[in-house]
Amino acid sequence: QQPVQSPQAVILREGEDAVINCSSSKALYSVHWYRQKHGEAPVFLMILLKGGEQKGHEKISASFNEKKQQSSLYLTASQLSYSGTYFCGTENLNNDMRFGAGTRLTVKP
Amino acid sequence: NAGVTQTPKFQVLKTGQSMTLQCAQDMNHEYMSWYRQDPGMGLRLIHYSVGAGITDQGEVPNGYNVSRSTTEDFPLRLLSAAPSQTSVYFCATWSAGFFQGQFFGPGTRLTVL
């Protein structure tokens, strides 16, 4: 079953912050976050393993709440280069990966 | 290193035709997978492999076959193409031990008429 992402779309001004959420109804082994630019392949941002740890990547970080089977991606002080579609991918113990429908992020000057 | 390569980049088929999408990697990753992405939608897992000789079905396997005879190659076969298989197909690889996420190939854009 695919994870549910919210919101579907976000429009920001440069320097603003955003949060993208991902939730699953099934027990997870890991959560992945990817960004895809139009016409390109998805690019890996970070992975979170069960245990609730928070990872960071530049001004982008994420958390994983194992009890709630939820992950959130935090984008702070957004830049124009952050524009794209963000996908969360949830992996179970059988290495079966399911992706959410994506969140389209637009950062304007 | 080429990373993950996919051929062809574009393909047009007629309904009922068969073809093979190629995926090759030089990253020595044990895991490989195939996804399809339809307009405005996320990636849906078709088949995946955890090593040479081992494959398993994903979310949408019907109409597709895979095999994994080597670590490097993971071809996807469309048995009898249908318009519903019009999509962009991505191959991805990853290594379980390094938590680096999946590396995606550039994709194959397939149109079935």
PDB file of all heavy atoms in Angstrom, chain B residues 71-94:
ATOM      1  N   THR B  71      24.866  -9.637 -11.812  1.00  0.00           N
ATOM      2  CA  THR B  71      24.699  -8.514 -10.890  1.00  0.00           C
ATOM      3  C   THR B  71      24.446  -7.216 -11.644  1.00  0.00           C
ATOM      4  O   THR B  71      23.709  -6.351 -11.187  1.00  0.00           O
ATOM      5  CB  THR B  71      25.959  -8.352 -10.012  1.00  0.00           C
ATOM      6  OG1 THR B  71      26.167  -9.544  -9.271  1.00  0.00           O
ATOM      7  CG2 THR B  71      25.823  -7.181  -9.053  1.00  0.00           C
ATOM      8  N   GLU B  72      25.033  -7.093 -12.841  1.00  0.00           N
ATOM      9  CA  GLU B  72      25.030  -5.823 -13.564  1.00  0.00           C
ATOM     10  C   GLU B  72      23.736  -5.533 -14.314  1.00  0.00           C
ATOM     11  O   GLU B  72      23.373  -4.376 -14.511  1.00  0.00           O
ATOM     12  CB  GLU B  72      26.198  -5.792 -14.565  1.00  0.00           C
ATOM     13  CG  GLU B  72      27.572  -5.774 -13.939  1.00  0.00           C
ATOM     14  CD  GLU B  72      28.019  -7.147 -13.459  1.00  0.00           C
ATOM     15  OE1 GLU B  72      27.450  -8.163 -13.924  1.00  0.00           O
ATOM     16  OE2 GLU B  72      28.924  -7.197 -12.602  1.00  0.00           O
ATOM     17  N   ASP B  73      23.041  -6.548 -14.792  1.00  0.00           N
ATOM     18  CA  ASP B  73      21.928  -6.333 -15.713  1.00  0.00           C
ATOM     19  C   ASP B  73      20.593  -6.786 -15.147  1.00  0.00           C
ATOM     20  O   ASP B  73      20.494  -7.831 -14.502  1.00  0.00           O
ATOM     21  CB  ASP B  73      22.194  -7.064 -17.036  1.00  0.00           C
ATOM     22  CG  ASP B  73      23.471  -6.602 -17.693  1.00  0.00           C
ATOM     23  OD1 ASP B  73      23.531  -5.416 -18.057  1.00  0.00           O
ATOM     24  OD2 ASP B  73      24.408  -7.425 -17.829  1.00  0.00           O
ATOM     25  N   PHE B  74      19.556  -6.012 -15.469  1.00  0.00           N
ATOM     26  CA  PHE B  74      18.213  -6.345 -14.987  1.00  0.00           C
ATOM     27  C   PHE B  74      17.205  -5.905 -16.048  1.00  0.00           C
ATOM     28  O   PHE B  74      16.569  -4.856 -15.935  1.00  0.00           O
ATOM     29  CB  PHE B  74      17.951  -5.639 -13.650  1.00  0.00           C
ATOM     30  CG  PHE B  74      16.725  -6.101 -12.926  1.00  0.00           C
ATOM     31  CD1 PHE B  74      16.386  -7.445 -12.843  1.00  0.00           C
ATOM     32  CD2 PHE B  74      15.903  -5.185 -12.283  1.00  0.00           C
ATOM     33  CE1 PHE B  74      15.265  -7.869 -12.154  1.00  0.00           C
ATOM     34  CE2 PHE B  74      14.774  -5.588 -11.579  1.00  0.00           C
ATOM     35  CZ  PHE B  74      14.456  -6.937 -11.523  1.00  0.00           C
ATOM     36  N   PRO B  75      17.031  -6.685 -17.114  1.00  0.00           N
ATOM     37  CA  PRO B  75      16.116  -6.295 -18.192  1.00  0.00           C
ATOM     38  C   PRO B  75      14.650  -6.480 -17.821  1.00  0.00           C
ATOM     39  O   PRO B  75      14.296  -7.396 -17.059  1.00  0.00           O
ATOM     40  CB  PRO B  75      16.521  -7.235 -19.337  1.00  0.00           C
ATOM     41  CG  PRO B  75      17.090  -8.440 -18.649  1.00  0.00           C
ATOM     42  CD  PRO B  75      17.759  -7.935 -17.404  1.00  0.00           C
ATOM     43  N   LEU B  76      13.813  -5.601 -18.362  1.00  0.00           N
ATOM     44  CA  LEU B  76      12.364  -5.659 -18.153  1.00  0.00           C
ATOM     45  C   LEU B  76      11.708  -5.974 -19.483  1.00  0.00           C
ATOM     46  O   LEU B  76      11.897  -5.234 -20.455  1.00  0.00           O
ATOM     47  CB  LEU B  76      11.845  -4.317 -17.621  1.00  0.00           C
ATOM     48  CG  LEU B  76      10.339  -4.208 -17.405  1.00  0.00           C
ATOM     49  CD1 LEU B  76       9.905  -5.036 -16.193  1.00  0.00           C
ATOM     50  CD2 LEU B  76       9.925  -2.737 -17.214  1.00  0.00           C
ATOM     51  N   ARG B  77      10.931  -7.034 -19.526  1.00  0.00           N
ATOM     52  CA  ARG B  77      10.291  -7.444 -20.774  1.00  0.00           C
ATOM     53  C   ARG B  77       8.790  -7.165 -20.738  1.00  0.00           C
ATOM     54  O   ARG B  77       8.107  -7.546 -19.781  1.00  0.00           O
ATOM     55  CB  ARG B  77      10.530  -8.929 -21.033  1.00  0.00           C
ATOM     56  CG  ARG B  77      11.919  -9.235 -21.546  1.00  0.00           C
ATOM     57  CD  ARG B  77      12.074 -10.724 -21.823  1.00  0.00           C
ATOM     58  NE  ARG B  77      12.171 -11.484 -20.569  1.00  0.00           N
ATOM     59  CZ  ARG B  77      13.304 -11.638 -19.896  1.00  0.00           C
ATOM     60  NH1 ARG B  77      14.427 -11.100 -20.318  1.00  0.00           N
ATOM     61  NH2 ARG B  77      13.320 -12.341 -18.775  1.00  0.00           N
ATOM     62  N   LEU B  78       8.337  -6.488 -21.796  1.00  0.00           N
ATOM     63  CA  LEU B  78       6.901  -6.302 -21.989  1.00  0.00           C
ATOM     64  C   LEU B  78       6.437  -7.399 -22.939  1.00  0.00           C
ATOM     65  O   LEU B  78       6.919  -7.510 -24.064  1.00  0.00           O
ATOM     66  CB  LEU B  78       6.587  -4.930 -22.589  1.00  0.00           C
ATOM     67  CG  LEU B  78       6.572  -3.750 -21.625  1.00  0.00           C
ATOM     68  CD1 LEU B  78       7.965  -3.410 -21.158  1.00  0.00           C
ATOM     69  CD2 LEU B  78       5.895  -2.556 -22.261  1.00  0.00           C
ATOM     70  N   LEU B  79       5.533  -8.227 -22.492  1.00  0.00           N
ATOM     71  CA  LEU B  79       5.161  -9.422 -23.237  1.00  0.00           C
ATOM     72  C   LEU B  79       4.260  -9.104 -24.434  1.00  0.00           C
ATOM     73  O   LEU B  79       4.463  -9.614 -25.531  1.00  0.00           O
ATOM     74  CB  LEU B  79       4.462 -10.402 -22.299  1.00  0.00           C
ATOM     75  CG  LEU B  79       5.236 -10.687 -20.997  1.00  0.00           C
ATOM     76  CD1 LEU B  79       4.397 -11.539 -20.059  1.00  0.00           C
ATOM     77  CD2 LEU B  79       6.559 -11.356 -21.313  1.00  0.00           C
ATOM     78  N   SER B  80       3.271  -8.272 -24.222  1.00  0.00           N
ATOM     79  CA  SER B  80       2.325  -7.883 -25.266  1.00  0.00           C
ATOM     80  C   SER B  80       1.839  -6.484 -24.899  1.00  0.00           C
ATOM     81  O   SER B  80       0.942  -6.329 -24.077  1.00  0.00           O
ATOM     82  CB  SER B  80       1.149  -8.866 -25.330  1.00  0.00           C
ATOM     83  OG  SER B  80       0.212  -8.451 -26.300  1.00  0.00           O
ATOM     84  N   ALA B  81       2.491  -5.472 -25.493  1.00  0.00           N
ATOM     85  CA  ALA B  81       2.274  -4.101 -25.063  1.00  0.00           C
ATOM     86  C   ALA B  81       0.814  -3.665 -25.197  1.00  0.00           C
ATOM     87  O   ALA B  81       0.124  -4.017 -26.173  1.00  0.00           O
ATOM     88  CB  ALA B  81       3.175  -3.161 -25.852  1.00  0.00           C
ATOM     89  N   ALA B  82       0.380  -2.880 -24.201  1.00  0.00           N
ATOM     90  CA  ALA B  82      -0.973  -2.316 -24.193  1.00  0.00           C
ATOM     91  C   ALA B  82      -0.875  -0.822 -23.954  1.00  0.00           C
ATOM     92  O   ALA B  82       0.091  -0.355 -23.325  1.00  0.00           O
ATOM     93  CB  ALA B  82      -1.805  -2.970 -23.090  1.00  0.00           C
ATOM     94  N   PRO B  83      -1.847  -0.039 -24.436  1.00  0.00           N
ATOM     95  CA  PRO B  83      -1.808   1.419 -24.218  1.00  0.00           C
ATOM     96  C   PRO B  83      -1.672   1.795 -22.741  1.00  0.00           C
ATOM     97  O   PRO B  83      -1.078   2.828 -22.412  1.00  0.00           O
ATOM     98  CB  PRO B  83      -3.139   1.887 -24.806  1.00  0.00           C
ATOM     99  CG  PRO B  83      -3.436   0.892 -25.880  1.00  0.00           C
ATOM    100  CD  PRO B  83      -2.951  -0.426 -25.339  1.00  0.00           C
ATOM    101  N   SER B  84      -2.184   0.959 -21.838  1.00  0.00           N
ATOM    102  CA  SER B  84      -2.081   1.246 -20.405  1.00  0.00           C
ATOM    103  C   SER B  84      -0.642   1.175 -19.896  1.00  0.00           C
ATOM    104  O   SER B  84      -0.359   1.612 -18.771  1.00  0.00           O
ATOM    105  CB  SER B  84      -2.948   0.258 -19.609  1.00  0.00           C
ATOM    106  OG  SER B  84      -2.502  -1.074 -19.823  1.00  0.00           O
ATOM    107  N   GLN B  85       0.249   0.637 -20.716  1.00  0.00           N
ATOM    108  CA  GLN B  85       1.650   0.572 -20.329  1.00  0.00           C
ATOM    109  C   GLN B  85       2.452   1.781 -20.800  1.00  0.00           C
ATOM    110  O   GLN B  85       3.673   1.835 -20.601  1.00  0.00           O
ATOM    111  CB  GLN B  85       2.288  -0.719 -20.842  1.00  0.00           C
ATOM    112  CG  GLN B  85       1.713  -1.961 -20.175  1.00  0.00           C
ATOM    113  CD  GLN B  85       2.309  -3.251 -20.701  1.00  0.00           C
ATOM    114  OE1 GLN B  85       2.287  -3.511 -21.915  1.00  0.00           O
ATOM    115  NE2 GLN B  85       2.832  -4.078 -19.806  1.00  0.00           N
ATOM    116  N   THR B  86       1.795   2.725 -21.413  1.00  0.00           N
ATOM    117  CA  THR B  86       2.439   3.990 -21.753  1.00  0.00           C
ATOM    118  C   THR B  86       2.852   4.681 -20.455  1.00  0.00           C
ATOM    119  O   THR B  86       2.017   4.934 -19.589  1.00  0.00           O
ATOM    120  CB  THR B  86       1.483   4.891 -22.550  1.00  0.00           C
ATOM    121  OG1 THR B  86       1.226   4.283 -23.820  1.00  0.00           O
ATOM    122  CG2 THR B  86       2.073   6.277 -22.753  1.00  0.00           C
ATOM    123  N   SER B  87       4.140   4.957 -20.325  1.00  0.00           N
ATOM    124  CA  SER B  87       4.650   5.476 -19.059  1.00  0.00           C
ATOM    125  C   SER B  87       6.131   5.795 -19.215  1.00  0.00           C
ATOM    126  O   SER B  87       6.738   5.547 -20.256  1.00  0.00           O
ATOM    127  CB  SER B  87       4.459   4.426 -17.959  1.00  0.00           C
ATOM    128  OG  SER B  87       4.739   4.964 -16.685  1.00  0.00           O
ATOM    129  N   VAL B  88       6.699   6.352 -18.155  1.00  0.00           N
ATOM    130  CA  VAL B  88       8.152   6.487 -18.066  1.00  0.00           C
ATOM    131  C   VAL B  88       8.640   5.409 -17.109  1.00  0.00           C
ATOM    132  O   VAL B  88       8.110   5.279 -15.990  1.00  0.00           O
ATOM    133  CB  VAL B  88       8.577   7.876 -17.555  1.00  0.00           C
ATOM    134  CG1 VAL B  88      10.099   7.945 -17.453  1.00  0.00           C
ATOM    135  CG2 VAL B  88       8.062   8.974 -18.478  1.00  0.00           C
ATOM    136  N   TYR B  89       9.625   4.646 -17.550  1.00  0.00           N
ATOM    137  CA  TYR B  89      10.127   3.527 -16.755  1.00  0.00           C
ATOM    138  C   TYR B  89      11.510   3.873 -16.203  1.00  0.00           C
ATOM    139  O   TYR B  89      12.405   4.277 -16.945  1.00  0.00           O
ATOM    140  CB  TYR B  89      10.209   2.267 -17.616  1.00  0.00           C
ATOM    141  CG  TYR B  89       8.843   1.744 -17.984  1.00  0.00           C
ATOM    142  CD1 TYR B  89       8.145   2.264 -19.064  1.00  0.00           C
ATOM    143  CD2 TYR B  89       8.237   0.752 -17.223  1.00  0.00           C
ATOM    144  CE1 TYR B  89       6.873   1.810 -19.385  1.00  0.00           C
ATOM    145  CE2 TYR B  89       6.976   0.279 -17.536  1.00  0.00           C
ATOM    146  CZ  TYR B  89       6.298   0.826 -18.614  1.00  0.00           C
ATOM    147  OH  TYR B  89       5.038   0.367 -18.915  1.00  0.00           O
ATOM    148  N   PHE B  90      11.657   3.703 -14.899  1.00  0.00           N
ATOM    149  CA  PHE B  90      12.931   3.951 -14.238  1.00  0.00           C
ATOM    150  C   PHE B  90      13.470   2.655 -13.641  1.00  0.00           C
ATOM    151  O   PHE B  90      12.733   1.895 -13.013  1.00  0.00           O
ATOM    152  CB  PHE B  90      12.778   4.973 -13.108  1.00  0.00           C
ATOM    153  CG  PHE B  90      12.547   6.377 -13.568  1.00  0.00           C
ATOM    154  CD1 PHE B  90      11.285   6.936 -13.543  1.00  0.00           C
ATOM    155  CD2 PHE B  90      13.606   7.154 -14.034  1.00  0.00           C
ATOM    156  CE1 PHE B  90      11.059   8.234 -13.961  1.00  0.00           C
ATOM    157  CE2 PHE B  90      13.400   8.457 -14.461  1.00  0.00           C
ATOM    158  CZ  PHE B  90      12.127   9.003 -14.413  1.00  0.00           C
ATOM    159  N   CYS B  91      14.752   2.460 -13.835  1.00  0.00           N
ATOM    160  CA  CYS B  91      15.474   1.383 -13.173  1.00  0.00           C
ATOM    161  C   CYS B  91      16.251   2.011 -12.018  1.00  0.00           C
ATOM    162  O   CYS B  91      16.731   3.144 -12.132  1.00  0.00           O
ATOM    163  CB  CYS B  91      16.421   0.724 -14.170  1.00  0.00           C
ATOM    164  SG  CYS B  91      17.488  -0.552 -13.477  1.00  0.00           S
ATOM    165  N   ALA B  92      16.365   1.297 -10.924  1.00  0.00           N
ATOM    166  CA  ALA B  92      17.097   1.819  -9.774  1.00  0.00           C
ATOM    167  C   ALA B  92      17.931   0.716  -9.142  1.00  0.00           C
ATOM    168  O   ALA B  92      17.576  -0.468  -9.227  1.00  0.00           O
ATOM    169  CB  ALA B  92      16.146   2.410  -8.734  1.00  0.00           C
ATOM    170  N   THR B  93      19.033   1.106  -8.521  1.00  0.00           N
ATOM    171  CA  THR B  93      19.877   0.138  -7.825  1.00  0.00           C
ATOM    172  C   THR B  93      20.206   0.666  -6.440  1.00  0.00           C
ATOM    173  O   THR B  93      20.201   1.880  -6.203  1.00  0.00           O
ATOM    174  CB  THR B  93      21.200  -0.118  -8.570  1.00  0.00           C
ATOM    175  OG1 THR B  93      22.070   1.009  -8.382  1.00  0.00           O
ATOM    176  CG2 THR B  93      20.984  -0.331 -10.043  1.00  0.00           C
ATOM    177  N   TRP B  94      20.474  -0.224  -5.553  1.00  0.00           N
ATOM    178  CA  TRP B  94      20.937   0.195  -4.233  1.00  0.00           C
ATOM    179  C   TRP B  94      21.656  -0.946  -3.534  1.00  0.00           C
ATOM    180  O   TRP B  94      21.564  -2.094  -3.922  1.00  0.00           O
ATOM    181  CB  TRP B  94      19.784   0.727  -3.381  1.00  0.00           C
ATOM    182  CG  TRP B  94      18.840  -0.251  -2.783  1.00  0.00           C
ATOM    183  CD1 TRP B  94      18.788  -0.660  -1.492  1.00  0.00           C
ATOM    184  CD2 TRP B  94      17.751  -0.941  -3.439  1.00  0.00           C
ATOM    185  NE1 TRP B  94      17.750  -1.547  -1.299  1.00  0.00           N
ATOM    186  CE2 TRP B  94      17.106  -1.735  -2.474  1.00  0.00           C
ATOM    187  CE3 TRP B  94      17.268  -0.946  -4.756  1.00  0.00           C
ATOM    188  CZ2 TRP B  94      15.988  -2.532  -2.783  1.00  0.00           C
ATOM    189  CZ3 TRP B  94      16.162  -1.739  -5.061  1.00  0.00           C
ATOM    190  CH2 TRP B  94      15.549  -2.512  -4.086  1.00  0.00           C
TER     191      TRP B  94
END
